[in-house]
């Protein structure tokens, strides 16, 4: 009888676990939109039969197929967590008891999405509409005539169906991206090099060839010790002790069985680095600083302190900084148009523009006190208008009020115009100021409708916090969004000398990858 009760209790517990699991899966599926479902279908292509995937209408359909194939169950939900991580639905991970960091830790051991599939998905995420039109035009002889409106994922699947694209043959992509986007071509080349490296090491103990290939990749596996990473060595060879191969020290894998198990995390960690923007080119990019100080009705005292600090910090980060002082609204528009057409962008990794001025909702002012919509500035650098910067991060940092509160305590000024100078404009959403296309970041000193504060001697709260956190956190390898979160915290802690004024910065972005500045060799400027 006791045994029967135990069996009954165990059965009820299993039912509860199963019910909870199905509820979790249902809630997750309800929060995924059409684009997410398309991405999930693509990422599961190597796991599920294509004929079954073609009938999928919702995320729930995909999850049922994965459960039927025993890829997903109440005891093991990691595949679902991995898929959510890959499509950047990080907020849904908590429904499975995961965090973004926990998934990252487990990927090298439990990850099921192949490096090949990851590489294709990363490409699709960075193919703009203009690029897609060019690709379809170049491949028109390979595509059925009925396929007119293709998404990037549809195109890749079609090429796979026709046998033109496989994990061992990505030549068609290389040919296309040589013409369409040399920047994205590097993603394909990195995939090929990493694949060759792993194959060579598994098939032959020729560590010297492996070392050379590793050097070509331009980096070391992230799982190796930091101390060794900084010394630019892998491990010391017992067979050729102290002998360097093109700047790398290696060891004989025959002497260490752990080496082979280390290859898998290397390959996955390497593919994860492809989710970061390329920032290791010989030229980092241009940084424009527009510093408007002398208005007809006032002077923005302390702004030159900001401009000087920005110039020091971004020069330290490897950018070619150009500073412009006291520009009218017309000058600002002309300057943006000029930089839109600079051909040297194609050899750079990114573009940054810092504007220090007065402002109002959705706009900044020239020294002639005429407004320039922020959207009018950022739109010059979309892929359509500035193809040299396509798929590259464009960062705009705006130090200007977004409202008209003019109360000024001693030594603290605001970056807003007086009511007499301000036109009565309707509030503009921050997200209306950035283009709909990818790869933009807009860092605003304050939320819409409010003033931002500037000390007449020490500079603005926002720019000084930004420069301080960049110097502190870039050497730690933090990405730009993590840094801006710290900037928010710093500024939010500050208070005006009267004890009554506070400020809250606000970033908005359409970045598709992490933006991590390479750690400079020189120490921070201050």
């Amino acid at each position: 009888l006791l045994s029967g009760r135990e069996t009954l209790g165990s059965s009820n517990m299993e039912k509860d676990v199963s019910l909870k699991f199905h509820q979790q899966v249902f809630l997750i599926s309800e929060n995924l939109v059409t684009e997410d479902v398309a991405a999930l279908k693509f990422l599961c292509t190597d796991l599920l039969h294509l004929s079954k995937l073609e009938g999928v209408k919702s995320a729930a359909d995909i999850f049922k197929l994965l459960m039927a194939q025993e890829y997903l169950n109440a005891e093991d939900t990691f595949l679902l967590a991995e898929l959510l991580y890959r499509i950047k639905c990080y907020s849904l991970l908590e429904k499975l008891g995961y965090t973004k960091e926990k998934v990252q830790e487990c990927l090298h051991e439990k990850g099921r999405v192949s490096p090949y599939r990851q590489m294709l998905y990363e490409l699709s995420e960075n193919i703009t509409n203009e690029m897609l039109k060019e690709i379809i035009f170049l491949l028109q002889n390979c595509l059925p005539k009925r396929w007119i409106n293709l998404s990037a994922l549809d195109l890749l699947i079609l090429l796979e169906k026709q046998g033109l694209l496989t994990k061992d043959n990505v030549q068609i992509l290389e040919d296309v991206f040589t013409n369409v986007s040399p920047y994205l071509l590097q993603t394909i080349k990195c995939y090929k090099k990493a694949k060759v490296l792993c194959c060579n090491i598994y098939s032959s103990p020729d560590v010297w060839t492996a070392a050379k290939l590793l050097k070509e990749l331009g980096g070391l596996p992230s799982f190796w010790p930091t101390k060794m990473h900084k010394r630019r060595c892998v491990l010391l060879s017992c067979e050729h002790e102290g002998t360097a191969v093109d700047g790398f020290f290696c060891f004989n894998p025959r002497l260490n069985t752990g080496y082979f198990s280390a290859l898998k995390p290397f390959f996955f960690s390497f593919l994860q680095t492809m989710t970061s923007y390329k920032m290791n080119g010989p030229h980092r990019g241009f940084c424009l600083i527009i510093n408007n100080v002398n208005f007809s009705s006032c002077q923005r005292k302390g702004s030159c302190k900001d401009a000087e600090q920005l110039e020091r910090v971004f020069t330290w980060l490897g950018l070619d900084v150009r500073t412009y002082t006291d520009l009218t609204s017309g000058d600002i528009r002309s300057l943006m148009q000029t930089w839109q057409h600079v051909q040297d962008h194609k050899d750079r990794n990114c573009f940054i523009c810092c504007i220090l001025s007065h402002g109002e909702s959705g706009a900044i002012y020239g020294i002639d006190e005429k407004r320039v919509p922020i959207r009018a500035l950022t739109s010059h650098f979309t892929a359509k208008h500035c193809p040299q910067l396509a798929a590259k991060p464009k960062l705009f940092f705006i130090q200007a009020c977004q409202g008209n509160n003019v109360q000024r305590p001693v030594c603290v000024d605001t970056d807003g115009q007086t009511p007499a100078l301000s036109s009565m404009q309707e509030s503009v959403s921050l997200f209306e100021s950035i283009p709909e296309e990818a790869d933009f970041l807009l860092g605003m000193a304050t939320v819409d409708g409010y003033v931002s504060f500037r000390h007449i001697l020490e500079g603005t709260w926002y720019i000084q916090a930004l420069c301080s956190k960049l110097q502190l956190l870039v050497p730690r390898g933090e990405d730009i969004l993590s840094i801006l979160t710290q900037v928010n915290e710093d500024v939010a802690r500050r208070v005006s000398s009267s004890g009554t004024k506070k400020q809250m910065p606000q970033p908005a972005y359409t970045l598709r990858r992490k933006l991590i500045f390479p750690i400079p060799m020189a120490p921070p400027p201050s």
Side-chain angles (χ1 to χ4, degrees):
L1 181 62
L2 182 61
S3 175
R5 286 176 179 173
E6 288 176 347
T7 302
L8 182 61
S10 175
S11 175
N12 288 336
M13 187 178 296
E14 289 177 0
K15 287 181 180 178
D16 289 343
V17 170
S18 177
L19 177 62
K20 182 180 179 182
F21 166 65
H22 282 87
Q23 287 174 336
Q24 290 171 330
V25 170
F26 174 75
L27 287 173
I28 290 170
S29 65
E30 288 293 291
N31 282 279
L32 297 173
V33 298
T34 303
E35 291 78 8
D36 298 326
V37 175
L40 290 174
K41 285 172 64 175
F42 184 80
L43 291 172
C44 290
T45 301
D46 298 328
L47 304 174
L48 301 170
H49 199 280
L50 197 57
S51 61
K52 292 184 177 180
L53 281 173
E54 286 179 342
V56 162
K57 302 296 183 185
S58 67
D61 292 339
I62 299 176
F63 300 155
K64 287 176 185 176
L65 292 173
L66 291 173
M67 285 187 275
Q69 295 296 316
E70 298 184 354
Y71 284 119
L72 181 62
N73 54 59
E75 289 73 37
D76 185 4
T77 60
F78 185 76
L79 176 59
L80 179 52
E82 179 187 3
L83 292 171
L84 294 174
Y85 172 85
R86 298 289 179 203
I87 64 174
K88 300 180 178 61
C89 289
Y90 304 129
S91 62
L92 296 178
L93 290 173
E94 63 183 29
K95 297 186 184 300
L96 298 173
Y98 280 97
T99 64
K100 177 182 174 183
E101 292 72 25
K102 183 63 176 177
V103 174
Q104 287 174 330
E105 289 175 13
C106 299
L107 274 177
H108 68 275
E109 292 180 0
K110 297 183 176 181
R112 286 185 175 272
V113 180
S114 70
Y116 165 70
R117 193 62 49 189
Q118 291 177 49
M119 181 271 294
L120 293 184
Y121 182 68
E122 285 301 322
L123 280 180
S124 72
E125 285 287 276
N126 287 282
I127 294 174
T128 65
N129 291 333
E130 292 301 315
M131 288 183 192
L132 186 59
K133 290 177 184 177
E134 290 184 49
I135 294 170
I136 292 174
F137 176 78
L138 292 171
L139 296 176
Q140 57 185 315
N141 293 331
C142 304
L143 304 176
K145 295 199 176 356
R146 68 178 184 277
W147 292 89
I148 300 174
N149 298 315
L150 285 172
S151 69
L153 291 178
D154 290 335
L155 176 62
L156 293 171
I157 290 173
L158 186 56
L159 292 175
E160 288 186 292
K161 281 183 179 179
Q162 295 180 321
L164 298 172
L165 177 62
T166 68
K167 66 182 178 63
D168 298 316
N169 181 14
V170 293
Q171 187 61 49
I172 192 167
L173 295 182
E174 289 187 90
D175 294 341
V176 165
F177 283 101
T178 298
N179 295 300
V180 173
S181 175
Y183 175 76
L184 291 182
L185 177 63
Q186 295 305 311
T187 300
I188 303 166
K189 288 184 176 180
C190 284
Y191 163 76
K192 288 182 64 179
K193 288 177 181 178
K195 187 171 182 295
V196 169
L197 171 62
C198 289
C199 289
N200 279 358
I201 296 176
Y202 271 108
S203 62
S204 167
D206 180 6
V207 296
W208 312 110
T209 299
K212 291 177 182 177
L213 284 165
L214 190 58
K215 183 179 181 182
E216 288 179 23
L217 289 175
L220 295 173
S222 61
F223 55 82
W224 257 285
T226 303
K227 186 176 180 181
M228 288 189 170
H229 181 94
K230 289 179 179 177
R231 289 172 54 198
R232 295 194 63 76
C233 63
V234 180
L235 284 172
L236 192 61
S237 169
C238 296
E239 187 173 328
H240 301 277
E241 189 169 355
T243 303
V245 180
D246 287 337
F248 287 85
F249 286 101
C250 296
F251 76 111
N252 192 329
R254 290 171 292 190
L255 304 176
N256 190 326
T257 56
Y259 186 69
F260 292 100
S261 62
L263 286 175
K264 186 179 179 183
F266 159 61
F267 201 45
F268 277 97
S269 65
F270 169 73
L271 263 296
Q272 287 175 37
T273 64
M274 296 196 334
T275 63
S276 298
Y277 287 104
K278 179 182 176 181
M279 293 292 286
N280 60 353
H283 305 289
R284 191 83 65 242
F286 293 105
C287 173
L288 311 186
I289 300 173
I290 298 175
N291 181 26
N292 282 351
V293 180
N294 298 297
F295 289 74
S296 59
S297 59
C298 63
Q299 187 180 56
R300 295 185 62 254
K301 295 179 180 179
S303 187
C304 289
K305 177 83 171 180
D306 285 346
E308 291 167 4
Q309 188 73 341
L310 285 169
E311 184 171 351
R312 283 196 296 269
V313 170
F314 283 116
T315 299
W316 171 66
L317 291 174
L319 286 105
D320 185 355
V321 179
R322 311 291 176 87
T323 301
Y324 302 87
T325 304
D326 290 345
L327 300 187
T328 65
S329 58
D331 292 336
I332 294 171
R333 292 175 186 271
S334 297
L335 185 68
M336 295 297 104
Q337 191 168 14
T338 297
W339 279 97
Q340 170 189 332
H341 298 292
V342 169
Q343 293 299 310
D344 286 348
H345 286 312
K346 68 178 182 297
D347 300 320
R348 266 67 179 180
N349 298 142
C350 67
F351 174 76
I352 298 176
C353 180
C354 306
I355 300 179
L356 317 174
S357 188
H358 285 307
E360 62 178 43
S361 180
I364 55 96
Y365 286 109
I367 60 167
D368 55 355
E369 298 170 357
K370 293 181 180 178
R371 68 193 306 271
V372 181
I374 295 171
R375 182 59 180 261
L377 306 176
T378 58
S379 61
H380 282 282
F381 301 95
T382 62
K384 178 180 179 180
H385 294 126
C386 185
Q388 295 85 359
L389 285 173
K392 300 178 184 181
K394 280 81 65 173
L395 281 60
F396 289 78
F397 296 105
I398 310 293
Q399 170 52 52
C401 284
Q402 291 296 284
N404 295 309
N405 189 330
V406 294
Q407 294 180 356
R408 298 167 182 166
V410 178
C411 288
V412 174
D413 205 355
T414 69
D415 271 337
Q417 292 284 31
T418 62
L421 295 175
S422 292
S423 57
M424 298 301 292
Q425 299 289 336
E426 293 184 1
S427 176
V428 177
S429 166
L430 179 59
F431 289 93
E432 292 177 16
S433 295
I434 59 174
E436 294 175 357
E437 293 197 34
D439 311 308
F440 278 86
L441 181 145
L442 178 59
M444 299 295 297
T446 183
V447 294
D448 187 53
Y450 290 86
V451 299
S452 58
F453 293 99
R454 170 173 35 86
H455 193 285
I456 61 174
L457 298 177
E458 298 174 3
T460 60
W461 293 359
Y462 177 66
I463 295 299
Q464 292 304 311
L466 174 64
C467 292
S468 174
K469 294 303 180 183
L470 284 170
Q471 293 177 86
L472 176 66
L473 300 176
V474 166
R476 298 181 186 177
E478 296 279 0
D479 69 283
I480 190 64
L481 295 182
S482 299
I483 292 172
L484 290 179
T485 300
Q486 293 293 313
V487 171
N488 280 5
E489 181 180 19
D490 186 304
V491 175
R493 289 176 182 271
R494 302 192 185 202
V495 64
S496 67
S497 58
S498 65
T500 60
K501 308 296 181 185
K502 294 185 73 68
Q503 180 179 328
M504 189 69 230
Q506 183 182 18
Y509 61 93
T510 58
L511 297 178
R512 298 189 185 189
R513 299 184 174 197
K514 284 188 175 182
L515 175 56
I516 302 173
F517 287 101
I519 300 173
M521 296 295 291
S526 63

